[in-house]
Amino acid sequence: LYEAAAIDGPPVHINDEALISLDPLDERGLASVARRCIEAGEKDRAHALYQVLRLVAPSHADAVAFLARNDLTQIGNGKLDPTLIADKPPAGGGVIAAMTQLWEGAAELICDELPKLEASSAAWIEADSDRDTLLWKVWTELGLTMSTQGVRLADAAMIPGVEVGDGWTQVRAAHPPIVVVGEHARGADTAPRLRFVLGRALFCSRPAAAPIAGLPPHLGAAVLSAALQAFHPRHTRRTRVREDADLATRLAQTFARKLPIRLARQLSALFKEHEQESFDTRDWRAWAHRSGQRVGLCLARNLGVALDILGLPPEPGERSNVLKARLADDPDLHDLVVFATSPAYVAARKALGFEVRTR
């Protein structure tokens, strides 16, 4: 309607930005915002928008021409701050804030009560044995952009009974955290895919995400239940622990006996402050997964790479069709594509030392 009426100006610009946040595959909206970015000298944002548009419409003339003339180039080295690209975690019930503090202060205590990953020394991926592999080189590179300190890599093929669902990575909430790599990661021959999956895993090994992303649902539920029993005013129990007590009850008693007093008071205060609020662990899981994907995208710097990992077909026309069909029913994919068009994504690439330069 705006185009038909030859109307332009700030209201149209605001409308276009809102449109691509609702439908990040809208060709007209993507092209319109990209053109205005070029006019304003914002080549970096235009590049991000045209990357998405090229996936939606592989032969779009403006996108093809711009990407042929402009490259994302590394001009320096920087660090990625995940808090600047992830949405704020759901605040309901004070649960995520409390569980983050609990994991930061008592991960070792919690993990002593959880099943251990039985891995031999041959399963660990380390500099001595893997220095020349692409996997280790990318892992070392990522350590310069965000902290990998204390996180260990393990080879799923060397651990009996362990399977990595998508063949790439699986986070294990342990002390220290473990990223188990599958056959696809072990056999990867291009760095961007590894950057995406390892970046995603790194975020999910952080205290705010590890209890929900790095534990099987039944164990994550037990840890949360224990925290509520120990510190929530409507769930607190004070009972003697029987030898056959369940994991949640044992953990709750461990928290009551062994947690530092200051931390225990902080957790009680948090739960008290949010006592009447509701909380759904599905919201926490979705936040952790989407935030991890955003981190992975920033490190890979290419949405097409992320779509490879997520299983979309490689042929451009078929990929476009599948992307359009899948986006409406996949909130996680929708979040990733919207983020790929956003100023926050562009700012993250710049923070990492990458800018768009014309050839």
Side-chain angles (χ1 to χ4, degrees), residues 237-239 241 248-258:
R237 299 181 189 172
R238 290 289 184 265
T239 58
V241 181
T249 302
R250 295 199 309 273
L251 268 175
Q253 290 297 312
T254 298
F255 293 156
R257 295 195 314 270
K258 297 184 179 181

Side-chain angles (χ1 to χ4, degrees), residues 95-174:
V95 171
I96 298 180
M99 294 301 290
T100 301
Q101 290 191 23
L102 180 61
W103 201 264
E104 286 174 339
E108 184 173 10
L109 194 66
I110 296 168
C111 292
D112 282 345
E113 296 286 343
L114 302 179
K116 305 292 190 297
L117 184 68
E118 300 297 334
S120 67
S121 58
W124 299 112
I125 299 172
E126 299 173 323
D128 290 345
S129 56
D130 294 87
R131 186 185 309 276
D132 295 328
T133 66
L134 181 61
L135 175 64
W136 186 258
K137 289 177 181 177
V138 172
W139 179 250
T140 303
E141 169 199 298
L142 293 188
L144 302 176
T145 59
M146 59 185 294
S147 177
T148 59
Q149 186 175 4
V151 182
R152 303 192 70 184
L153 295 180
D155 188 343
M158 304 294 291
I159 308 173
V162 171
E163 295 184 4
V164 176
D166 66 356
W168 289 99
T169 59
Q170 179 188 91
V171 174
R172 289 295 184 104

Side-chain angles (χ1 to χ4, degrees), residues 271-300:
F271 282 129
K272 178 65 176 175
E273 181 182 351
H274 298 273
E275 180 179 0
Q276 303 303 320
E277 299 173 2
S278 61
F279 178 77
D280 191 329
T281 55
R282 291 174 296 185
D283 295 335
W284 187 8
R285 190 179 304 278
W287 171 81
H289 181 66
R290 293 170 192 174
S291 300
Q293 291 198 145
R294 291 184 183 191
V295 169
L297 175 60
C298 291
L299 296 171

Side-chain angles (χ1 to χ4, degrees), residues 56-119:
V56 179
S59 59
H60 191 284
D62 289 349
V64 171
F66 181 89
L67 294 174
R69 295 192 308 269
N70 297 274
D71 295 320
L72 187 64
T73 305
Q74 185 169 13
I75 61 170
N77 296 298
K79 293 188 177 294
L80 181 66
D81 182 352
T83 62
L84 298 180
I85 61 174
D87 290 336
K88 290 185 178 180
V95 171
I96 298 180
M99 294 301 290
T100 301
Q101 290 191 23
L102 180 61
W103 201 264
E104 286 174 339
E108 184 173 10
L109 194 66
I110 296 168
C111 292
D112 282 345
E113 296 286 343
L114 302 179
K116 305 292 190 297
L117 184 68
E118 300 297 334

